[in-house]
Amino acid sequence: RLTDLKHIDELKRIKRSISTELRELESRRNHIQDDISLQQGRYIALEQSVKKAEGEVQFLKSRIQQLKTEQKEVEKPKLAAPARLLASEDLNVDLTPTCQMHSCFDYSRCSLTSQFPVYFYPDLDNSPFDVTSFVQEAIRISFSTNRYITNDPSTACLYVVVVGESMRPLVMRIKRLIVSETTCHVDSKPVISPDAISSWLRSLAYWRGDGRNHLLVYFSHQTTTQNPLKGVDTGRAIVGQTNFEASQFRMGFDAVLPNLPSFKTSKLMKVPALRDYALSFQGQMKPKNIPFYSEFHQILLENMNLMRESVIHGNFMLQVQCQEERIVTPGFSSEWSLCGSEGDRLAVLSRSTFALILPAEDRNLLFTPLFSTRLIEALQSGAIPVLLGTHTRLPFSEFISWEKAAIILPQARVTELPFLLSNIPHAEIISMRRQGRFLYDTYLSTPPQVVESTLALLRTRLQIPALPVEDVPSNVIPHRSYPVVEHVVSPGDAQSEFGIPPIEESTSSPQFTRNYTSVTLDSRDTWNNIPGPFNLYPFTPKDRLLPSDAQFIGSSNGFRPIGGGEGGTGKVYQESLGGNSPWEQFTMVMLTYKREEVLLQAVERLIGLPHLNKIIVVWNSPEPPGAELRWPDVGVKVVVIHPEKNSLNNRFLPWSEINTEAVLSIDDDAHLRHDEILFGFRVWRESRHRVVGFPGRFHAWDPRHGGWSYNSNHTCELSMVLTGAAFLHKYYLYLYSNWMPPAVRAIVDQHMNCEDIAMNFLVSHVTRQSPVKVTSRWTFRCPGCPVALSQSQEHFDERHLCINAFVKIFGYMPLVYTQLRVDSILFKTRLPHDKQKCFKFI
């Protein structure tokens, strides 16, 4: 029907209207939905911006706090260097009967910051002394190379006058004037009297009336009785000589010196502990000297006969009669003569565990050239000196602890000598032999060493620090860098575990903070340990630790305790170094040779590494890096050094660019995660005197050949840590380059190998401790690298040769075994869910 049709049309119209409205509503809903999505995106972006801003605010707060701490440390009061005192010219000084430093030495010429300038009087034409050609040449060489010598006498702290071994012929006019008044005649030979010598001393240009700050030194190299200054009025001058009588020696003022040596010894093997002869002695007392025999000498001769018949650690070699034509007549009648030539005596001493040394029976003789000869020959050959007589004064005994290298007994102990020698353990025998050889090499072996030691004795007595050791100038190659957009975070990186630690400014380690305590608090320790007192080091691994509470009460500057002292794990742990040492950084030294791509990848992997101060690339390639080579910008300074020659020893040069105590020596192909590096650094901070690193190696005994071999197998004992990835103190770079025998570095250059073994030998020799191995790493992977040289058999053969060659040079095997490895404290420890480990993978 029509009405139904109309109704249907109306419904259709309504439907169309509703559909249109629905479409409009859907469109509006979509618009609203889009707007909601847009607003949600804006909200998320704002939320992220807020979080980023909060992070930046937190970082800035942390940085502000760090800067406040650094400012507080910078503002820490510093003691000003003492001003140099004005030299006194007052001659009216009352001389005490026995001179002491406080009463006879003019300190005003030697301020603590003066650097100990020494003026050496040149050969004086009017000298009454005849300096032999040997002594003259030795002195010339020694003083010409000495760093303390000055040509300006007006600024000198010390004035050195070399006294000769005999009187010069009286031919000069000034001498004739002296002789005419004061010469007496003995056997028709003119002898200058002490008064004449005193007059000559007073005529010296800078004597200043009383000889203040002068050193009158008599260097002898003969077994002579010459004592040219006996009876001479030396005023306030210090006397240094070999012949000393008790009535002449002024304790704490004069200096007992050794003979001036005319030879340089060869290598010494410090093992085995026991030699063919337990005790040796060669000497003869002339029949005409029998009146000097004392009860001690009678008992001594009786006991020598008894000791010949006993066997204690081997036979006794006691010779009291010399072949008449091979006897060295003693300078004094109460001394035992020397038997045979120097070579003959050294041959016997090199087979002796102990060497008996008898001082002159005349108790007034404190030290004589013949006694010095016996002492030096014993130390040179590794025979431990046994001194019967406590009335003697040994060379440089003011600072040298001779009891660490010699057995010094009163003469009354002569009957107990066999018992005593039989009860010394082997370890202590070798320790004393090692110490004796150190004293010989450092202070007694060459004329320059004797001269340097003499000046060091007076400098230390005056509490003036030694001159600083010299760094090797860094031949820095300028280069360009490029920004690194992305850094792939590997598992174990500190960033992936706990977020990015606070950024640190590059901070150098404090240097030369112990200038003066080194010559007061540690003077004897310095003299009796490697390398001796001749250089001042910017820092050493021996610095003392503060107790833990000092970090929070009175000495907080420089420390970064974990969690402010409350401790912590995870992020809290990573943000602070903690420990008992002040906060510090490390320098990475990377050796490379013609592997630019591998090198750049290695540098790029260091982006974001905390506590890294600087990267030093030692470019061993013959040609310097090209101008087109660009380096990744890793956030710290990258210094490229091009040495003069390609040498593996360049790895351990004390470059001037290294400003931190901690040095990470690393190869360009060593892949280490950030957390591994950080853990190794933390472990090194607690073992600063040792090598701390990753790949461990082992020195194995080869019974078939009776020598040592290099072993890289997985063993439960190791003795070396390869310096292709190891932390060590910069102090050892100085010792490696300046103190270690040059023959060791020559072998490294010869084989282009073994520098890591040499460094392990050095540190173990100095510390007598093993290295520290960290983490489970035994080798390194290097994707894209050619076959490593270390995999070849020739490489291993060379390392076998190196080890045995080094043993001969050092005189024994210094490497020390260890059976432990260091891992993080919470490694493999089950923790509650709300706790984090120190390192996830270590």
Side-chain angles (χ1 to χ4, degrees), residues 589-593 618 620 647-648 650-651 666-668 755:
V589 177
M590 186 178 295
L591 194 70
T592 188
Y593 184 85
V618 181
N620 254 9
S647 171
L648 293 179
N650 294 335
R651 181 194 294 275
I666 193 167
D667 289 337
D668 56 7
E755 84 287 356

Side-chain angles (χ1 to χ4, degrees), residues 92 263 298 318 326 465 477 496 530 538 590 600 631 713 743 842:
N92 299 319
F263 52 85
Q298 297 292 349
L318 304 172
R326 306 198 68 185
I477 304 296
S496 64
I530 296 170
M590 186 178 295
L600 295 179
W631 296 80
N713 294 331
I842 302 176

Side-chain angles (χ1 to χ4, degrees), residues 302-434:
E302 293 173 5
N303 277 272
M304 281 186 173
N305 292 326
L306 293 175
M307 286 188 286
R308 279 196 196 94
E309 301 170 2
S310 64
V311 179
I312 301 172
H313 291 342
N315 297 319
F316 283 72
M317 194 283 185
L318 304 172
Q319 178 183 353
V320 294
Q321 292 292 327
C322 303
Q323 298 179 13
E324 191 65 28
E325 68 276 8
R326 306 198 68 185
I327 188 170
V328 180
T329 304
F332 296 92
S333 58
S334 62
E335 287 189 293
W336 291 76
S337 60
L338 292 170
C339 293
S341 66
E342 175 190 304
D344 295 335
R345 296 192 298 272
L346 291 177
V348 172
L349 289 170
S350 64
R351 300 173 60 195
S352 307
T353 306
F354 300 96
L356 182 62
I357 300 180
L358 301 174
E361 180 58 17
D362 183 355
R363 297 297 183 90
N364 189 46
L365 297 175
L366 298 183
F367 196 68
T368 66
L370 188 144
F371 185 88
S372 176
T373 299
R374 287 192 183 276
L375 177 66
I376 290 175
E377 288 181 352
L379 297 176
Q380 177 189 359
S381 56
I384 298 170
V386 179
L387 277 59
L388 282 179
T390 55
H391 61 282
T392 59
R393 296 291 173 189
L394 299 182
F396 312 122
S397 57
E398 186 173 341
F399 296 107
I400 289 179
S401 300
W402 281 100
E403 68 277 3
K404 295 180 181 295
I407 298 173
I408 305 173
L409 300 172
Q411 292 181 346
R413 296 287 186 196
V414 60
T415 59
E416 300 175 280
L417 188 58
F419 171 78
L420 174 65
L421 299 185
S422 66
N423 283 279
I424 300 179
H426 290 195
E428 294 187 4
I429 289 175
I430 291 181
S431 176
M432 295 181 74
R433 183 176 296 151
R434 177 177 179 268

Side-chain angles (χ1 to χ4, degrees), residues 701-775:
W701 179 251
D702 182 358
R704 292 172 299 177
H705 301 94
W708 296 100
S709 63
Y710 173 82
N711 195 314
S712 64
N713 294 331
H714 293 80
T715 64
C716 293
E717 199 170 45
L718 60 87
S719 57
M720 291 176 279
V721 165
L722 301 188
T723 54
F727 284 93
L728 61 156
H729 201 286
K730 186 182 178 182
Y731 175 76
Y732 293 122
L733 305 188
Y734 292 114
L735 298 192
Y736 185 98
S737 302
N738 302 330
W739 179 86
M740 189 175 67
V744 176
R745 297 190 296 275
I747 291 174
V748 171
D749 283 334
Q750 176 186 348
H751 294 285
M752 285 301 288
N753 198 340
C754 308
E755 84 287 356
D756 47 359
I757 300 177
M759 178 57 80
N760 277 272
F761 264 64
L762 171 67
V763 178
S764 292
H765 175 66
V766 172
T767 65
R768 301 305 302 129
Q769 292 188 344
S770 64
V772 178
K773 172 171 171 45
V774 293
T775 79

